[in-house]
Amino acid sequence: KSGKIKEIESQKWAGKIKKADKEPLFRHFSEATDKELGFWQKYGSGIDGNFYQPRAGWYSPSDNTVHLDLGNVNDPRVKRIGDTVDARLFFHETGHYFDYNVFGRNQRLSATINGLSDTLKEDAVQYANSVFKSQGLPTIKSLSRFSTAQKQAIYADLVDDGDLKNAVSDLWHGLTNGRVSGRYGHFSKGYWDYPGMVEQEAVAHLFEAKMMKGERLDVFKRYFPKTYEKFEAFIDALEV
């Protein structure tokens, strides 16, 4: 395992991380499974990044580069879990990189996982119904329609410890086309109108949860258990 981590440390992107930030970032790699490290060995060598760009947080397909502010530990999502670098954002944006590059530029990884969209919706409906039942509200069969009381119930659930649930809130925002979420989401007009955007964001959030471990993974699996199981099996199978 240590040999795999050393090989990952020798990849181009790692040479751009400040020495003081490498230890807290690579602490997450030290907690990764052999399959997860094998995936990074196989697919991470092409990552390039601008890791200390103020207020940045995106992957740009046009220059195939990850842009982020790794040192921004004032982000409440970072402070919530007590990290000393924004590893959450690092694994999220490199997740977007993998989505675009694992199968080549003309085939999104997010479009290759069979049934990803349906599984996301199935998990969301199941969790929503658990919330509704606990409050004596009617259950739902799909995400197409919510009463005001149902929206309020999901919102209250997602804002409770909301800095930990930002990924879940974002996906709820996408799955309901902006009608239901917590405090976090891609709130720009029309973001979710692009085909495959929910699946692409889901993959980035899934990579983030998979590598972060701890509370972030536990929360994601609580809301999207079947989605995570499907994703983990798919990604682990790529490392052979």
Side-chain angles (χ1 to χ4, degrees):
K1 185 171 179 177
S2 61
K4 288 185 175 182
I5 293 175
K6 285 183 179 179
E7 184 175 327
I8 295 167
E9 284 182 318
S10 70
Q11 291 177 343
K12 177 176 63 175
W13 64 265
K16 296 186 175 184
I17 305 295
K18 294 177 182 177
K19 185 177 180 180
D21 294 335
K22 267 191 177 178
E23 182 178 349
L25 179 62
F26 271 83
R27 186 162 55 242
H28 296 285
F29 284 98
S30 71
E31 296 172 354
T33 66
D34 282 340
K35 283 186 174 293
E36 288 164 347
L37 294 175
F39 178 91
W40 273 81
Q41 282 181 293
K42 188 172 182 179
Y43 299 105
S45 60
I47 293 172
D48 197 6
N50 184 352
F51 298 126
Y52 297 96
Q53 185 175 341
R55 295 179 296 280
W58 61 84
Y59 161 72
S60 173
S62 61
D63 61 9
N64 205 26
T65 299
V66 171
H67 300 266
L68 55 86
D69 190 356
L70 190 64
N72 180 20
V73 294
N74 291 319
D75 187 311
R77 292 164 291 186
V78 181
K79 294 170 74 173
R80 168 60 182 79
I81 58 174
D83 226 336
T84 55
V85 294
D86 197 349
R88 177 203 65 83
L89 187 61
F90 174 84
F91 289 118
H92 183 90
E93 300 306 336
T94 52
H96 281 302
Y97 166 86
F98 290 133
D99 186 31
Y100 271 79
N101 288 278
V102 164
F103 294 120
R105 304 289 287 173
N106 295 319
Q107 184 181 0
R108 298 287 81 75
L109 184 152
S110 54
T112 309
I113 304 175
N114 289 331
L116 178 58
S117 177
D118 290 340
T119 308
L120 282 162
K121 294 173 184 176
E122 181 183 347
D123 278 339
V125 167
Q126 183 173 337
Y127 192 87
N129 283 337
S130 71
V131 173
F132 298 154
K133 287 177 182 177
S134 71
Q135 299 188 23
L137 295 170
T139 57
I140 57 174
K141 293 183 178 179
S142 73
L143 301 174
S144 61
R145 184 177 298 176
F146 296 89
S147 69
T148 299
Q150 288 171 327
K151 288 181 181 180
Q152 290 173 341
I154 295 298
Y155 175 80
D157 181 77
L158 292 176
V159 299
D160 180 25
D161 203 3
D163 292 328
L164 188 62
K165 299 176 182 176
N166 70 288
V168 177
S169 176
D170 185 39
L171 290 179
W172 260 91
H173 190 254
L175 288 166
T176 61
N177 199 25
R179 289 176 292 120
V180 186
S181 70
R183 289 202 308 269
Y184 290 97
H186 282 80
F187 295 130
S188 58
K189 184 175 176 59
Y191 184 83
W192 301 111
D193 292 342
Y194 293 97
M197 285 307 298
V198 173
E199 293 89 337
Q200 289 180 45
E201 283 301 329
V203 161
H205 286 305
L206 281 155
F207 271 115
E208 170 194 331
K210 187 168 172 59
M211 292 302 294
M212 290 297 291
K213 304 288 190 274
E215 288 182 294
R216 295 198 68 81
L217 176 57
D218 292 343
V219 163
F220 197 97
K221 289 168 70 174
R222 188 163 79 239
Y223 281 84
F224 294 103
K226 293 178 182 177
T227 303
Y228 185 81
E229 183 179 356
K230 178 186 289 285
F231 175 79
E232 184 173 51
F234 184 90
I235 295 302
D236 285 354
L238 294 177
E239 190 284 303
V240 292

